Amino acid sequence: MKREIKETIASIGKRLYERRLNGGYGGNISIKDEGVIYITPSGMPKDILSYSDIIVVDFKGNLLEGEGKPSSELLFHVAIYKERSDVNAIVHTHPPISTGFAIANIPLREAIHEEVSLILGEVPVLPYEMTSSKELAKSVANAFKKYNAVMLANHGVITVGETPEKAFRRAEELENICISTLVANTFGGVKEIPPDKLKALFSMFYKKK
Ligand SMILES: [Zn+2]
């Protein structure tokens, strides 16, 4: 198995912790590569992970390499990869502010900020399902048919990307925008980008691509 992929996961774990996007034990990170899944181990703080701690499993959850157990949330990682062939990395975190939005059941609307419109898209709050459950995996896989970031009620957030960096940046951006939304609400509320300007923004962005 590839050491550089394991190192990428360990490095994202440290960055999530350093940027206050995750408490020590919370969350999990995975990367899909050549038909296998590299994932953080169960019960280990993410800020002190080393590449040698990363577990490799197949799509049935069978252990291929590593000591210890894969994250207890492996089920929803597998479910997302099965649903989205374009997704190669998944970051699940418990960031304090966006988790607060999830607890309060406040979704992020697409039109509140350029970054949300272009990088995240609309971010829903999925109804509460117990951690590690099949119900959670089913609900998450269904949501990722349409979204690139979701909030889980009373739990945390999940972001995906074609690359690990993109999945990480989406988690970072989601937390930043939740902070901005919180501030906007203390100053009288969120005002959305007018629909015609939002349309123009999308057409400019997609033309550039
Ligand atoms: Zn969690």
Side-chain angles (χ1 to χ4, degrees), residues 27-28 73 92 94 131 155:
N28 28 74
E73 297 286 25
H92 165 51
H94 303 163
T131 183
H155 185 165

Side-chain angles (χ1 to χ4, degrees), residues 56-145:
V56 186
V57 295
D58 64 18
F59 271 67
K60 288 182 177 157
N62 299 313
L63 184 70
L64 301 177
E65 193 171 271
E67 287 173 26
K69 282 197 219 160
S71 164
S72 59
E73 297 286 25
L74 176 65
L75 271 185
F76 76 62
H77 287 255
V78 173
I80 295 170
Y81 288 129
K82 282 185 176 166
E83 191 61 54
R84 290 273 301 271
S85 59
D86 60 315
V87 165
N88 295 310
I90 299 168
V91 170
H92 165 51
T93 66
H94 303 163
I97 310 293
S98 24
T99 300
F101 275 61
I103 292 169
N105 196 16
I106 301 173
L108 273 195
R109 286 170 55 84
E110 201 166 51
I112 60 169
H113 192 282
E114 288 186 349
E115 299 288 311
V116 179
S117 311
L118 300 174
I119 295 173
L120 287 168
E122 188 186 342
V123 184
V125 179
L126 306 188
Y128 177 76
E129 295 290 358
M130 205 171 65
T131 183
S132 314
S133 66
K134 280 184 188 161
E135 291 76 15
L136 178 64
K138 202 172 160 191
S139 156
V140 163
N142 191 43
F144 275 100
K145 284 178 185 167

Side-chain angles (χ1 to χ4, degrees), residues 4-23 26-31 40 45-49 54 88-93 159 163-172:
E4 67 269 24
I5 292 179
K6 295 179 178 182
E7 284 174 343
T8 299
I9 291 178
S11 139
I12 288 177
K14 283 188 187 65
R15 290 162 74 198
L16 288 171
Y17 184 82
E18 283 163 5
R19 296 183 197 198
R20 295 183 178 273
L21 293 170
N22 206 34
N28 28 74
I29 305 150
S30 75
I31 294 177
T40 45
K46 306 300 167 290
D47 54 323
I48 55 166
L49 281 178
I54 306 307
N88 295 310
I90 299 168
V91 170
H92 165 51
T93 66
T159 53
T163 63
E165 189 61 23
K166 199 151 188 186
F168 169 78
R169 292 294 171 197
R170 282 188 168 129
E172 183 182 47

